[in-house]
Amino acid sequence: MNLPATLVRPVADRVDRVVGGPARRHVILVLALVLALDSADKATVGTSATQLEAALHIGKAQIGLLLAVSSGVGALATIPAGMFVDRVCRTRMLSWAVAGWGVAMLLSGFSTNYVFLLLTRVALGAVVAVAGPAIASLIGDYFPERERGRIYGFVLAGELVGAGFGFVVAGQFATMSWRAPFFVLVAPTLLVWWLLVRLPEPERGGASRMQSGLTDLQEAAEGGAGEGEDAPGEPAEMDDDDEQDLAQRVVRQGDVEPREEAVLEGTVSDMSMWQAFRHVVTVRTNVVLIVASALGYFFFSGLRGFAIQFAKKHYDLSQSGASALTLVIGIGALLGVLVGGRLADRLLRNGHISARVQVPGVTVLCAAVIFVPALLTTSVWVAIPLLVLASLFLGATNPPLDAARLDVMLPCLWGRAEAVRTVLRNAGDAVAPLLFGILASSVFGGSTGLEYTFLVMLVTLFAGALITLLIGRRTYPQDVAAAAESANQCD
């Protein structure tokens, strides 16, 4: 008996039932792995911080700069990347970006000093700019609109799996040498590149969206509709139009009038690059969700960069113990990612118009409140359940937020809209580790520097929750209606 096949096949069948078939599973896996690479890289730098400080004679601010520079360069490169995403083959762009990623990882491991390592981070930032816009656009064209939150949850799980890999697996190699984790990341990069070059490009505008049950991936790219089976937990009575336009259908049933400023005049093909980006920021809900998402990632980026150091000192843990703690917390965040999008989609189907905005607003507020006692206690056994619960709520935030951004934007502008978000997110990713490091070492200092830094920076989560609930919840229905009104402008 082939024991590995006997064990793997039931798992694969179960996954296929959850995501809607082998073709869908393949696409979700590839897109999730792309996000996992970026997250694993950033976690690896944080995990190796102690070894890097000792080997290169640097401090927390310099560690923060290593984490910041790739995101900062990525922010600058994202705008042109978003423009190309809306015009060229997205899967090919991603494959080239991942190949460049692997080269940057290899060079990072061979760095001879801090400046050399910093320059490799600059190169890395230039290639990661493609990921955000390309993945958002591909999700919109591969999957039905009514499942966006749920599918985004599966894909965003890659970020957490990648962070877990960086913290735990690469972290163990960091005990041998700070170079080892970078070399460890080269092999999975080659695997992701190999999968990407075989991923077919979907037709733009939703012609090749995959319904549940599709087994042939190439058929999906050519416009195959699948067998029409319903995804788990989804209603069977929807017709094809409703499946692809759930948010617009709910808004129409609520007699919501579009916001005139967000209705696009003229076709997108007649617009210049800057006119297109100007329209993207005219959609008020899009701006609110971009800011809310960036604030959440800002906190997560700073937390990820110094989590191992904080856990070792604050909870008196070893390197292995701190890595294990981050893994347990990551499991909570992973559960949140998988639940958040599904919950928002279900509420939307039940007629709650702003569910994809309300759910993340409430969950990020809950996360901020629970983080306070988790950071104040010095008992790891008290902290574990609090941190897991806070991470679960924080993880539940992004899938519905990402789905809502696609709802309020025209398909032919998805790449550029995601580029605007990625610029702000990468800017936050760039500033956060540097600012966290400066506050911890120069402002608060001492053994409690990171504790006070994390507590102060919780204000970003509270701010994200407030603008989402107070502004985004009100503007979302009108902007969805405006996107429906402008639908023919993509022709």
Side-chain angles (χ1 to χ4, degrees):
M1 178 182 293
N2 189 335
L3 186 59
T6 303
L7 295 175
V8 170
R9 188 67 260 170
V11 174
D13 290 342
R14 173 60 181 166
V15 171
D16 289 346
R17 285 195 296 272
V18 172
V19 302
R24 283 176 159 215
R25 183 232 306 159
H26 184 94
V27 174
I28 290 170
L29 176 64
V30 174
L31 298 183
L33 285 174
V34 173
L35 294 181
L37 285 178
D38 183 35
S39 192
D41 164 61
K42 291 172 181 174
T44 294
V45 174
T47 303
S48 308
T50 302
Q51 290 80 5
L52 284 167
E53 287 178 357
L56 303 179
H57 308 292
I58 56 177
K60 288 183 175 61
Q62 286 76 22
I63 294 294
L65 184 58
L66 284 177
L67 291 163
V69 68
S70 60
S71 296
V73 173
L76 295 176
T78 298
I79 293 293
M83 179 186 67
F84 283 113
V85 161
D86 285 332
R87 298 175 182 271
V88 304
C89 178
R90 293 157 290 186
T91 55
R92 187 177 297 122
M93 279 189 70
L94 274 177
S95 66
W96 280 105
V98 168
W101 217 325
V103 173
M105 288 295 98
L106 197 61
L107 291 175
S108 296
F110 283 118
S111 297
T112 55
N113 53 50
Y114 178 75
V115 174
F116 193 132
L117 183 59
L118 192 64
L119 291 176
T120 64
R121 309 300 298 175
V122 171
L124 185 68
V127 297
V128 300
V130 176
I135 288 175
S137 183
L138 287 168
I139 288 176
D141 281 334
Y142 261 128
F143 300 101
E145 189 272 346
R146 70 183 178 102
E147 299 180 73
R148 277 181 187 155
R150 193 171 71 94
I151 297 299
Y152 246 122
F154 295 138
V155 174
L156 291 178
E159 288 186 325
L160 299 173
V161 173
F165 182 89
F167 278 128
V168 179
V169 179
Q172 295 306 308
F173 282 93
T175 59
M176 299 185 297
S177 168
W178 66 265
R179 301 177 188 275
F182 295 107
F183 292 134
V184 168
L185 288 179
V186 174
T189 300
L190 291 174
L191 171 63
V192 177
W193 172 83
W194 183 82
L195 291 171
L196 273 170
V197 295
R198 286 158 175 78
L199 188 68
E201 176 78 0
E203 294 186 30
R204 295 185 185 269
S208 56
R209 283 179 181 153
M210 295 185 291
Q211 306 305 319
S212 294
L214 191 68
T215 58
D216 191 301
L217 188 58
Q218 191 60 45
E219 180 185 346
E222 294 171 355
E227 298 173 13
E229 299 174 7
D230 292 299
E234 307 295 338
E237 65 272 11
M238 289 185 179
D239 57 31
D240 290 341
D241 180 66
D242 287 337
E243 283 184 350
Q244 296 190 6
D245 303 298
L246 174 62
Q248 294 179 11
R249 178 176 64 85
V250 174
V251 165
R252 286 196 301 268
Q253 290 175 347
D255 294 324
V256 177
E257 293 295 324
R259 191 168 61 87
E260 293 184 4
E261 306 94 287
V263 177
L264 185 64
E265 300 292 338
T267 61
V268 173
S269 59
D270 295 331
M271 301 171 69
S272 67
M273 179 180 71
W274 296 114
Q275 286 175 324
F277 281 114
R278 193 156 55 242
H279 174 74
V280 165
V281 298
T282 299
V283 181
R284 192 177 302 167
T285 305
N286 189 48
V287 175
V288 168
L289 299 183
I290 284 173
V291 173
S293 177
L295 289 171
Y297 273 107
F298 175 89
F299 180 79
F300 178 70
S301 179
L303 184 67
R304 176 181 56 200
F306 296 99
I308 294 294
Q309 284 186 305
F310 173 78
K312 288 167 64 177
K313 184 172 295 186
H314 191 72
Y315 301 124
D316 192 25
L317 298 174
S318 64
Q319 174 86 14
S320 298
S323 297
L325 176 61
T326 59
L327 179 61
V328 172
I329 295 171
I331 292 173
L334 181 61
L335 291 175
V337 164
L338 297 176
V339 169
R342 181 185 290 269
L343 174 62
D345 287 352
R346 184 177 295 276
L347 290 173
L348 182 59
R349 289 196 302 274
N350 291 335
H352 296 274
I353 296 179
S354 297
R356 284 179 175 166
V357 177
Q358 288 175 300
V359 168
V362 171
T363 55
V364 76
L365 182 61
C366 292
V369 171
I370 298 171
F371 265 125
V372 175
L375 294 172
L376 288 174
T377 183
T378 56
S379 169
V380 67
W381 299 111
V382 174
I384 286 175
L386 292 173
L387 289 172
V388 169
L389 188 59
S391 299
L392 187 151
F393 280 117
L394 191 59
T397 301
N398 284 312
L401 275 183
D402 291 340
R405 285 201 312 274
L406 294 182
D407 293 341
V408 300
M409 194 58 54
L410 294 176
C412 52
L413 289 173
W414 279 337
R416 278 162 280 194
E418 185 65 15
V420 173
R421 184 198 71 110
T422 306
V423 166
L424 193 55
R425 174 196 162 172
N426 283 348
D429 278 352
V431 173
L434 185 59
L435 186 56
F436 273 60
I438 291 173
L439 286 177
S441 60
S442 302
V443 177
F444 297 116
S447 60
T448 58
L450 282 175
E451 176 188 342
Y452 289 138
T453 298
F454 289 158
L455 287 170
V456 168
M457 288 305 180
L458 281 174
V459 70
T460 59
L461 296 186
F462 284 109
L466 289 177
I467 64 171
T468 302
L469 292 173
L470 297 180
I471 303 176
R473 181 178 61 85
R474 293 185 294 103
T475 61
Y476 171 81
Q478 290 182 306
D479 286 335
V480 171
E485 186 78 12
S486 308
N488 61 351
Q489 305 307 318
C490 281
D491 297 334

